[in-house]
């Protein structure tokens, strides 16, 4: 009996160590955001008045217009396609249900390069028009400007609408068929049933999807840079890299953070205010109506158009260049970029998932309120754009790097150089912070499905808390952990803004190689790397489709 308090103390001490580790991980994830705010409010050279009177209003106006336009267009396309797919049967409907997800595999910047290559003056479309109509030069006809804000809206919407489609489709499927039947018995047309019944019930899901789309729009750099649209994200690059003013870049990054926080707050508020409950004891799904004739053709065309624009067009253009330049696949620079991508993305995925599992487990062991409060806050990294995290990571990490190098040189006389920022360490850290929410969410959901009696039984048999995690939890959650590893890795492969800011000299990933070569109008060299990025994205979409069957 005398040993029992000691056992409880040892167990409590171990639990305390797990909780402390979880708090440390949360602090590391939140540190870049805090760093951005600190640098913004204590700059060495305050150019805020100059920004406010010159470029910032233009950056902010373009960002808001782009964000709202892409959000609305993606909402219309995603929600409309989801309604048609869940309520009607028509030619190709079973295939289109999953094909509409494929644009998620195409980074928006790849879509931008493909669209310009297809529609520019020397591209196949305008060349064919001149040959067909006998025009000699651009003065003989009018053609829309390709590199413009409107084109950026179309490209981003085509790449991002699946976020809305996926959530709206799930929401429409969960609705009861009884509501649809009541509306039909009252003489409501298909349009009125969509507007008065389906849309209000699915509004929280659609709002969540649009919020994700708008946050991804704010994060985008490759598309807007290629189309010469000046946004807050391009402003961060301009002020930091061209003007060498970290404080000004941090101040613009804070404006981006405010926009993101507003979006997250509005989305959560929308979900809180609007809640619907299924009052029926037996839930009957909506019966899909068979369409025929012209109506079926229109439905097929409506669902086929976003798939063609978001996937077929960019993938087709890039594949054509990749096949026409087959010798570029053996380029040592491409092989190096692939190796760097696999190394950095793989390391970030493993580190992120391990940290996510550790933190979730530590919070579950802790009965304290602080760790449970920090857990949801760590998801802010996923909402924060990569350029913002780049500012928040590189500046303090560079200061630490210089201090470590000076200390080592003072003690040993050896100049070790910049170990952290001179390597891919900063890049791995940025990826881990940016995509920590994926790993944390997967681990939390998976552990929540494990019966509490299982770890309690293991503890009663003398297993330590580490053994419980390895021998009880891991076998039950390894499927979710594997999915999280893949999703984090895919997002690391596609991430561009943070990679451009934090990569060491002469260090290229697949994403930066695509951006660098396409910026030089050399799509032939960019195509192989783009195909590899698309291939990795298709693996993630396949996993997502399998999980949503």
């Amino acid at each position: 009996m005398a040993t029992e308090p000691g056992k409880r103390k040892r167990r409590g001490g171990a639990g305390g160590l797990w909780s402390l580790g979880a708090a440390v991980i949360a602090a590391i994830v939140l540190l870049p955001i805090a760093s951005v705010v600190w640098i913004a409010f204590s700059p060495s050279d305050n150019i805020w008045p100059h920004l406010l009177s010159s470029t910032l209003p233009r950056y902010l106006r373009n960002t808001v217009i782009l964000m709202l336009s892409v959000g609305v267009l993606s909402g219309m396309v995603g929600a409309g396609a989801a309604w048609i797919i869940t309520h009607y049967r028509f030619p190709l409907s079973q295939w289109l249900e999953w094909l509409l997800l494929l644009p998620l595999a195409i980074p928006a910047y790849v879509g931008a390069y493909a669209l310009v290559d297809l529609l520019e003056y020397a591209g196949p479309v305008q060349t064919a028009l001149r040959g067909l109509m006998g025009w000699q030069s651009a003065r003989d006809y009018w053609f829309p400007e390709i590199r413009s804000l409107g084109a950026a809206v179309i490209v981003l919407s085509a790449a991002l609408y699946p976020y809305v489609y996926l959530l709206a489709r799930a929401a429409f499927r969960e609705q009861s068929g009884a509501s649809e039947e009541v509306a039909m018995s009252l003489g409501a047309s298909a349009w009125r049933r969509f507007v008065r019944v389906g849309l209000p019930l699915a509004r929280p899901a659609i709002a969540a999807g649009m919020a994700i789309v708008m946050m991804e729009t704010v994060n985008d750099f490759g598309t807007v840079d290629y189309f010469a649209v000046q946004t807050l994200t391009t402003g961060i690059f301009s002020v930091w890299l061209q003007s060498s003013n970290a404080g000004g870049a941090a101040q613009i990054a804070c404006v981006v953070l405010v926009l993101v926080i507003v979006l997250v707050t509005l989305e959560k508020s929308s979900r809180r205010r609007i809640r619907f409950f299924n009052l029926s004891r037996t839930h009957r799904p909506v019966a899909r109506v068979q369409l025929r004739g012209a109506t079926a053709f229109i439905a097929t065309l409506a669902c086929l158009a976003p798939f063609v624009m978001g996937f077929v067009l960019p993938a087709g253009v890039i594949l054509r260049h990749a096949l026409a330049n087959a010798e570029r696949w053996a380029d040592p620079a491409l092989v190096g970029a692939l190796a760097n991508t696999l190394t950095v993305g793989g390391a970030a995925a493993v580190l992120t998932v391990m940290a996510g599992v550790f933190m979730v487990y530590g919070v579950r062991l802790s009965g304290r309120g602080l760790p449970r409060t920090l857990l949801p806050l760590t998801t802010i990294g996923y909402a924060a754009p990569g350029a913002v995290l780049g500012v928040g990571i590189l500046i303090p990490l560079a200061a630490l790097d210089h201090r470590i190098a000076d200390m080592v040189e003072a003690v040993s006389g050896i100049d070790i150089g910049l170990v952290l920022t001179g390597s891919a360490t900063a890049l791995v850290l940025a990826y881990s912070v940016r995509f920590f929410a994926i790993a944390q969410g997967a681990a939390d959901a998976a552990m929540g499905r494990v019966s509490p009696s299982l770890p309690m039984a293991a503890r009663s048999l003398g297993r330590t808390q580490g053994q419980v995690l390895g021998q009880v939890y891991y076998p039950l959650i390894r499927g979710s952990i594997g999915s999280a590893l893949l999703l984090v890795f895919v997002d690391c492969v596609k991430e561009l803004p943070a990679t451009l800011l934090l990569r060491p000299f002469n260090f290229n990933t697949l994403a930066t190689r695509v951006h660098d070569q396409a910026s030089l109008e050399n799509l032939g060299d960019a195509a192989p790397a783009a195909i590899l990025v698309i291939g990795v994205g298709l693996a993630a979409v396949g996993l997502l489709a399998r999980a949503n069957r």
Side-chain angles (χ1 to χ4, degrees):
M1 296 295 293
T3 61
E4 286 301 317
K7 289 183 180 179
R8 285 195 298 269
K9 184 176 180 179
R10 285 195 297 273
R11 290 175 184 174
L17 290 176
W18 283 91
S19 301
L20 178 61
V24 171
I25 293 171
I28 293 174
V29 172
L30 295 173
L31 187 60
I33 306 298
S35 173
V36 168
V37 176
W38 173 263
I39 296 168
F41 282 91
S42 55
S44 56
D45 182 17
N46 185 19
I47 64 169
W48 179 254
H50 170 70
L51 289 173
L52 202 58
S53 62
S54 56
T55 57
L56 187 60
R58 182 172 67 255
Y59 293 156
L60 183 59
R61 181 178 65 252
N62 288 342
T63 301
V64 172
I65 293 173
L66 185 68
M67 181 181 70
L68 294 177
S69 300
V70 174
V72 171
L73 185 56
S74 298
M76 293 169 60
V77 173
W83 174 265
I84 295 172
I85 286 292
T86 54
H87 284 71
Y88 301 102
R89 295 184 184 278
F90 49 90
L92 301 178
S93 59
Q94 291 184 330
W95 286 93
L96 285 168
E97 182 176 0
W98 305 107
L99 292 178
L100 284 165
L101 294 174
L102 290 185
L104 284 177
I106 308 286
Y109 51 84
V110 173
Y113 308 148
L115 184 69
V116 171
D117 181 76
L118 184 68
L119 299 181
E120 67 180 346
Y121 180 79
V125 172
Q126 291 201 51
T127 301
L129 282 175
R130 289 194 299 272
L132 182 65
M133 304 301 295
W135 295 325
Q136 300 299 318
S137 67
R139 293 189 297 270
D140 296 335
Y141 65 99
W142 176 86
F143 200 83
E145 177 61 42
I146 305 303
R147 303 197 186 203
S148 63
L149 179 62
V153 170
I154 293 173
V155 168
L156 286 167
S157 300
L160 299 175
Y161 81 83
Y163 288 110
V164 180
Y165 167 75
L166 191 62
L167 295 176
R169 189 186 65 175
F172 288 139
R173 278 180 170 173
E174 292 170 359
Q175 294 176 11
S176 173
S179 302
E180 186 84 0
E181 292 169 3
V182 170
M184 291 177 66
S185 67
L186 294 174
S189 63
W191 172 252
R192 289 183 64 85
R193 293 198 302 272
F194 171 65
V195 173
R196 302 293 297 273
V197 179
L199 200 58
L201 292 173
R203 178 177 161 184
I206 295 172
M210 290 175 63
I212 295 173
V213 166
M214 287 189 281
M215 284 188 283
E216 289 293 332
T217 302
V218 173
N219 176 61
D220 179 81
F221 173 75
T223 305
V224 293
D225 180 60
Y226 196 64
F227 284 150
V229 179
Q230 295 181 322
T231 64
L232 291 170
T233 301
T234 62
I236 293 174
F237 279 82
S238 299
V239 173
W240 191 0
L241 300 182
Q242 297 177 15
S243 303
S244 300
N245 193 303
Q251 289 168 340
I252 298 177
C254 276
V255 178
V256 177
L257 278 178
V258 170
L259 274 180
V260 169
I261 291 171
V262 169
L263 285 174
V264 173
T265 303
L266 289 175
E267 186 269 327
K268 290 185 180 297
S269 175
S270 174
R271 283 193 293 176
R272 278 198 305 266
R273 289 198 307 265
I274 302 178
R275 294 182 181 180
F276 300 97
F277 301 94
N278 184 13
L279 300 179
S280 175
R281 293 186 178 182
T282 57
H283 174 78
R284 287 187 296 105
V286 175
R288 297 173 68 181
V289 177
Q290 180 69 49
L291 298 179
R292 302 184 187 280
T295 309
F297 175 76
I298 293 173
T300 303
L301 192 63
C303 292
L304 200 59
F307 164 65
V308 170
M309 186 66 191
F311 182 80
V312 175
L313 187 152
V317 170
I318 296 299
L319 184 61
R320 176 173 63 85
H321 280 282
L323 294 177
N325 298 272
E327 70 281 0
R328 309 292 172 85
W329 286 91
D331 189 343
L334 175 63
V335 176
L338 176 61
N340 291 338
T341 300
L342 295 176
T343 303
V344 176
V350 172
L351 178 64
T352 305
V353 172
M354 289 178 60
V357 171
F358 190 103
M359 182 176 180
V360 170
Y361 188 57
V363 169
R364 286 178 174 273
L365 290 178
S366 174
R368 301 179 180 89
L370 180 60
R372 295 185 180 276
T373 303
L374 291 176
L375 186 64
L377 292 178
T378 56
T379 61
I380 193 174
Y382 193 68
V388 174
L389 293 178
V391 174
I393 288 175
L394 185 58
I395 295 174
L397 204 62
L400 176 64
D401 215 0
H402 282 286
R403 181 159 297 185
I404 292 174
D406 292 341
M407 290 175 59
V408 172
E409 186 175 11
V411 172
S412 63
I414 301 174
D415 184 7
I416 62 172
L418 300 179
V419 177
L420 301 178
T421 54
S423 66
T425 304
L427 204 52
V428 172
L429 180 59
Y431 289 160
S432 297
V433 173
R434 175 91 167 87
F435 307 117
F436 185 78
I438 298 174
Q440 183 250 81
D444 195 27
M447 287 188 179
R449 292 192 293 268
V450 176
S451 173
S453 61
L454 295 178
M456 290 172 63
R459 292 289 286 146
S460 69
L461 294 174
R463 298 294 189 271
T464 64
Q465 289 161 340
Q467 289 173 331
V468 171
L469 177 60
Q471 299 175 9
V472 177
Y473 276 106
Y474 175 71
L476 297 173
I477 68 173
R478 61 185 178 184
S480 298
I481 296 304
S483 299
L485 278 169
L486 177 60
L487 292 175
V488 172
F489 175 75
V490 169
D491 278 339
C492 292
V493 171
K494 295 164 62 175
E495 173 61 32
L496 181 62
T499 311
L500 287 173
L501 285 176
L502 297 173
R503 60 176 172 166
F505 290 111
N506 297 321
F507 186 94
N508 263 327
T509 64
L510 291 175
T512 59
R513 178 171 173 79
V514 173
H515 175 265
D516 291 345
Q517 296 300 321
S519 298
L520 297 173
E521 305 296 337
N522 190 1
L523 206 55
D525 279 340
I531 288 294
L532 292 174
V533 173
I534 293 171
V536 173
L538 284 173
V541 173
L543 176 65
L544 187 64
R546 180 182 176 185
N548 282 272
R549 280 186 180 276

